[in-house]
Amino acid sequence: LQKFLILLHVTTCTIIGKTLMILFPNAMKRYILKLGEKSRMNENPKFSYENWGPTFFSFKYLLFVLKVKWKRLEDEAYEGHPAPNTPVVTLSGEARHLSDFMRDNRPLILNFGSCT
């Protein structure tokens, strides 16, 4: 049911966005460029709206957004429920899942850090 609702929402947004791009191309260009400012994408000297702007609200865009949103459904954790078995990559580049690192009844502890 969640995937169907996401499909309905993303498809509706894509259809509306594509329609607005056709009816009001300049206004949509300004809107998309304003979104790019928030992510500081416009600071990139190689940034060009003409290279990627028209891909907004395309079929490929729809498929990409669906893939990301459906994948995020698997990563949600809820208090009192089992943790998601998230895919991870080892230092050697091997794809594994968190449950692969559990041993007997020992708790699995994840420690996140940052090095800048």
Side-chain angles (χ1 to χ4, degrees), residues 74-90:
E74 300 170 9
D75 293 339
E76 291 186 20
Y78 300 98
E79 186 175 343
H81 291 84
N85 192 17
T86 306
V88 293
V89 178
T90 65

Side-chain angles (χ1 to χ4, degrees), residues 1 16 21-23 26-27 31 33 39 51 60 68 71-73 103 112 116:
L1 180 64
I16 291 170
M21 283 186 80
I22 292 168
L23 296 176
N26 292 331
Y31 174 74
L33 288 173
S39 66
N51 289 340
K60 284 185 180 181
V68 168
K71 191 71 174 155
R72 286 186 181 162
L73 283 176
R103 301 286 180 255
F112 297 94
T116 56

Side-chain angles (χ1 to χ4, degrees), residues 12-87:
T12 303
C13 290
T14 303
I15 290 170
I16 291 170
K18 189 64 161 179
T19 303
L20 291 174
M21 283 186 80
I22 292 168
L23 296 176
F24 309 103
N26 292 331
M28 287 301 287
K29 179 178 179 178
R30 285 192 307 273
Y31 174 74
I32 292 171
L33 288 173
K34 193 145 200 97
L35 290 176
E37 288 174 10
K38 289 181 184 178
S39 66
R40 298 185 353 204
M41 187 184 316
N42 299 353
E43 293 176 11
N44 183 344
K46 297 180 181 178
F47 171 82
S48 171
Y49 172 82
E50 286 70 24
N51 289 340
W52 61 269
T55 65
F56 265 67
F57 309 115
S58 66
F59 186 68
K60 284 185 180 181
Y61 170 89
L62 171 74
L63 294 179
F64 175 77
V65 173
L66 284 176
K67 179 181 173 183
V68 168
K69 288 189 175 278
W70 285 347
K71 191 71 174 155
R72 286 186 181 162
L73 283 176
E74 300 170 9
D75 293 339
E76 291 186 20
Y78 300 98
E79 186 175 343
H81 291 84
N85 192 17
T86 306

